[in-house]
Amino acid sequence: MDRLSATPSGIALGPLALIPDGKARNFVLEMRAGRFHGFVVRRGETVHGYVDRCPHMGLPLAQTLDQYLTDDSRLIACSWHGALFRIEDGRCVGGPCAGAALQPWPVEVRDGTIVTG
């Protein structure tokens, strides 16, 4: 099955409360064309989504389910090679892919539900 890098808009992922504030959650969506792997980071009432693939080696970022953030929850961290990314734009600010960025996955909150954009 192919690994996809985008999803259609309007897919409901679940209530905002599914992700505790300051945490992240993995989502795997199986579609006819293949399987999509992404994650969503919550900051208050705002969510940021990214394709779960490090620009350095193409691996998923988390070796442990839903463990995408540094201990202080300020940055996204690749658990394989230590790359660090800003939550708000996915830009790499440290590690082997400095200057590169995570691929955005458009998500938003509509009426308390996280949906793909």
Side-chain angles (χ1 to χ4, degrees), residues 101-116:
L102 298 172
Q103 182 178 342
W105 177 32
V107 294
E108 61 186 355
V109 178
R110 287 188 208 151
D111 299 321
T113 300
I114 303 167
V115 297
T116 59

Side-chain angles (χ1 to χ4, degrees), residues 16-88:
L16 181 61
L18 186 65
I19 306 172
D21 192 13
K23 300 294 183 186
R25 184 178 175 106
N26 170 273
F27 291 90
V28 177
L29 305 176
E30 196 161 323
M31 296 175 278
R32 277 193 199 127
R35 188 173 290 144
F36 173 84
H37 295 257
F39 65 97
V40 175
V41 181
R42 177 180 174 191
R43 282 196 159 169
E45 301 298 307
T46 303
V47 291
H48 303 275
Y50 295 99
V51 174
D52 192 3
R53 187 177 303 126
C54 182
H56 172 233
M57 295 287 292
L59 298 169
L61 280 91
Q63 293 184 53
T64 303
L65 187 64
D66 298 335
Q67 297 299 311
Y68 291 95
L69 304 179
T70 55
D71 289 341
D72 63 6
S73 297
R74 291 180 47 199
L75 296 168
I76 298 166
C78 176
S79 64
W80 296 97
H81 299 106
L84 299 171
F85 305 87
R86 291 188 303 225
I87 292 171
E88 55 277 354

